Amino acid sequence: MNLEQAKKSLFCGTFLLGRSRRGKAVDALFAFGSAEAAVVLVDAVGREHPEADGILSRLLTIDSKAMHEMHAAVWAFWKRQRYATLLNKARSSETLRNVLYDALRVMPRDDEGNRTIFALWHRLDDKMLAEMISNQSRHAPGLEMDALFGLAQGDAERYLVLEDPDCSIFEKAYIMASDDQKRRINSTVLKNLDPRLVKAYVLAGAGGHEQELVLEALKISGDQDGLFERVRGMTLQNMLELVAYWEHTGNLPDDSSRKKTVERAVALYRELCSLNFKASDEVPAGTTDMIHYWEEREVTDAELKAELGCDDPMVRAGALYRSAKRGRISQSRLRDIARTGSWLEKLAARLYLPGEFPEEEYEHVVWLRKNDRIDARLFNTVIPGTIDDSQFFLDSMRVLGKSEDATDKMLFTLLAILTTFQGYFLRGIVMLDENDDATQKGAVETEDAPGIEW
């Protein structure tokens, strides 16, 4: 039987002789040992040949040295289709998966062989493959893939031995990672104290990391200047938590300007803690504050995703609140839920969308709404805010500074902390009145840019 005859008989469907002819065709194609024969056989597996599993097992056990041409052609074919057929078969059959492990265990230790193994590990994210790579001390030809493997498997040193001054290797590795691999990278970063790793993690995320995780990583690495820069984009509540950390630890940024800003904020925070003002009413005995409960829960992104589809509206609302805080839900979806969800979901969504929705007739809930009261604007401002915000707060401080009321003193101190950070982030901006000319570098006439955020 020649090659053309084998091709024609490979899918023979004759009732009595079909199985025998197909078997002879398969044997003949393997006997040829050519690249062309290999392609015919691999293609037959993808076309669901009646004996596809048997053919695949034989393809996987081809000796790379004795039948080099055929072996190379088989793996080249799978590579072109991104290993789709091979992975589907391996996922559906434990027997075939074990044959695949055996084939990869003896894969040549050249660049092409290593590239194949790491590509399959990346797609399968398989524990046995990972152990095989580690035990055989294999390295991916591409630095990004090698870094990804180390970071996802908890081996930070595999990345740290690389020169990556602009963090581009880490960034590409993180982009390549699956969601589960990203979570494992997060754990690797948090368990490792190397500042280079934390810097790469923060820079590579470009705002895509969960804020709590980034802050924790920066704290662990001792990068106080990096922590300071995370203040940009925070609300007052989150900023106060960070100031409390600096007050508790005594850690300060290295940069002199940032250091002075933190020192002043910490001093003001101590004043705030010393003020005696009446706390709000406590929740009834035997109950728990709902938002406090949502804040304190330790829950993974996967669990939150599942809870968002729960039948219980209280569970959905809690998952929505945490997802919004982690930046895991879009603003458009938040707005949809704020309009159409259960009242609990509306509450969770509107906590992040204050003042966006008018009162509706027949509503049985009084919603948060934006107003120009000092405390409302104070807690809704995102650092550094606008020029208008800054002027409003400074004017308010002049009024509050004359009051002896404990609540006014508290507001004054909170405003002092907020404007301290605004002063840092807004420095260099020259505000001009209508009689001045904007000759200074970076000067802005405020009446020409009333809504700009800095």
Side-chain angles (χ1 to χ4, degrees):
M1 185 181 291
N2 60 33
L3 185 62
E4 289 304 315
Q5 290 171 329
K7 287 181 182 179
K8 291 178 181 179
S9 300
L10 189 57
F11 280 89
C12 180
T14 304
F15 177 66
L16 294 177
L17 301 177
R19 183 182 180 88
S20 174
R21 288 177 178 173
R22 291 196 301 269
K24 289 179 180 178
V26 169
D27 289 341
L29 288 166
F30 273 105
F32 290 134
S34 64
E36 185 178 357
V39 169
V40 172
L41 288 165
V42 181
D43 181 60
V45 174
R47 291 166 59 194
E48 295 298 331
H49 187 278
E51 287 80 41
D53 287 1
I55 295 173
L56 178 57
S57 292
R58 292 179 67 177
L59 288 169
L60 287 169
T61 54
I62 293 173
D63 190 305
S64 62
K65 293 181 179 178
M67 303 181 70
H68 175 74
E69 183 181 347
M70 195 172 201
H71 182 274
V74 167
W75 288 98
F77 187 99
W78 282 329
K79 180 182 177 182
R80 284 195 297 274
Q81 60 163 219
R82 296 180 60 80
Y83 306 98
T85 300
L86 179 60
L87 292 174
N88 288 337
K89 291 289 185 180
R91 290 187 179 110
S92 64
S93 168
E94 184 178 353
T95 299
L96 285 175
R97 193 158 57 249
N98 289 331
V99 176
L100 173 61
Y101 293 148
D102 290 338
L104 295 175
R105 197 169 284 111
V106 296
M107 184 69 70
R109 299 194 180 209
D110 55 16
D111 281 355
E112 195 56 42
N114 287 334
R115 186 176 289 110
T116 297
I117 291 180
F118 277 90
L120 290 169
W121 166 81
H122 183 214
R123 287 164 177 77
L124 284 171
D125 200 9
D126 184 273
K127 183 178 179 181
M128 286 188 65
L129 275 182
E131 290 177 354
M132 184 190 304
I133 289 170
S134 297
N135 292 338
Q136 294 185 346
S137 300
R138 288 184 183 261
H139 285 272
L143 297 180
E144 296 83 6
M145 181 62 76
D146 208 56
L148 170 57
F149 177 81
L151 293 165
Q153 296 304 125
D155 180 10
E157 197 60 32
R158 192 180 275 248
Y159 167 74
L160 290 172
V161 297
L162 304 175
E163 292 187 10
D164 190 22
D166 60 355
C167 304
S168 59
I169 295 175
F170 189 106
E171 182 178 13
K172 291 174 184 175
Y174 200 84
I175 290 170
M176 290 162 55
S178 66
D179 288 343
D180 193 55
Q181 288 165 349
K182 282 184 171 72
R183 282 190 284 273
R184 302 207 307 269
I185 292 173
N186 296 342
S187 298
T188 300
V189 173
L190 290 176
K191 290 176 182 176
N192 191 286
L193 300 177
D194 192 289
R196 274 209 313 129
L197 183 61
V198 174
K199 175 190 174 184
Y201 176 79
V202 174
L203 291 179
H209 297 310
E210 180 184 331
Q211 176 170 277
E212 295 173 21
L213 192 65
V214 173
L215 293 177
E216 185 63 23
L218 290 167
K219 289 174 184 177
I220 288 173
S221 70
D223 186 355
Q224 306 306 318
D225 289 274
L227 272 175
F228 186 95
E229 286 303 316
R230 302 303 294 189
V231 172
R232 189 189 297 273
M234 283 187 176
T235 60
L236 178 67
Q237 178 183 340
N238 292 331
M239 185 180 68
L240 285 175
E241 292 175 3
L242 190 53
V243 175
Y245 160 80
W246 279 317
E247 194 277 333
H248 176 71
T249 62
N251 296 331
L252 295 170
D254 292 327
D255 177 81
S256 60
S257 182
R258 292 172 182 155
K259 181 179 179 180
K260 289 178 182 178
T261 303
V262 171
E263 286 175 335
R264 171 163 168 73
V266 165
L268 289 165
Y269 180 80
R270 288 173 180 153
E271 288 182 22
L272 182 68
C273 294
S274 68
L275 292 174
N276 294 317
F277 54 88
K278 186 178 178 181
S280 59
D281 293 337
E282 295 181 356
V283 296
T287 64
T288 301
D289 181 275
M290 181 174 66
I291 295 178
H292 178 73
Y293 171 74
W294 289 343
E295 288 277 3
E296 294 298 312
R297 285 186 68 213
E298 293 186 5
V299 58
T300 65
D301 285 348
E303 290 169 332
L304 285 180
K305 187 176 181 181
E307 290 179 359
L308 285 170
C310 180
D311 292 335
D312 188 333
M314 178 68 79
V315 175
R316 292 200 307 273
L320 180 66
Y321 178 85
R322 292 292 290 171
S323 296
K325 184 170 184 178
R326 294 182 183 182
R328 295 293 188 266
I329 195 163
S330 68
Q331 290 290 300
S332 60
R333 188 178 176 196
L334 268 182
R335 290 189 178 92
D336 287 342
I337 294 173
R339 292 187 183 93
T340 63
S342 66
W343 77 264
L344 278 166
E345 291 172 293
K346 286 182 177 180
L347 170 63
R350 293 187 185 195
L351 286 170
Y352 291 94
L353 302 166
E356 290 199 19
F357 301 91
E359 283 299 317
E360 298 175 14
E361 193 174 1
Y362 309 120
E363 272 285 15
H364 60 286
V365 176
V366 178
W367 296 107
L368 299 172
R369 52 190 181 274
K370 190 173 181 180
N371 59 53
D372 282 332
R373 282 174 47 201
I374 298 170
D375 52 350
R377 194 159 175 178
L378 172 65
F379 288 103
N380 287 329
T381 295
V382 174
I383 304 298
T386 65
I387 295 175
D388 181 58
D389 287 332
S390 181
Q391 191 60 56
F392 174 80
F393 293 142
L394 291 172
D395 291 343
S396 300
M397 287 178 68
R398 280 191 281 271
V399 175
L400 291 169
K402 301 173 183 178
S403 174
E404 293 299 320
D405 180 77
T407 300
D408 287 346
K409 288 183 177 180
M410 178 191 70
L411 283 174
F412 177 88
T413 309
L414 288 172
L415 285 170
I417 294 174
L418 181 64
T419 54
T420 294
F421 283 100
Q422 282 187 318
Y424 174 86
F425 288 111
L426 295 177
R427 66 182 178 180
I429 301 228
V430 180
M431 294 187 292
L432 309 167
D433 64 35
E434 59 186 8
N435 298 315
D436 289 330
D437 294 322
T439 56
Q440 295 92 333
K441 183 179 180 181
V444 175
E445 293 202 30
T446 55
E447 64 269 23
D448 293 336
I452 289 181
E453 293 188 2
W454 304 93

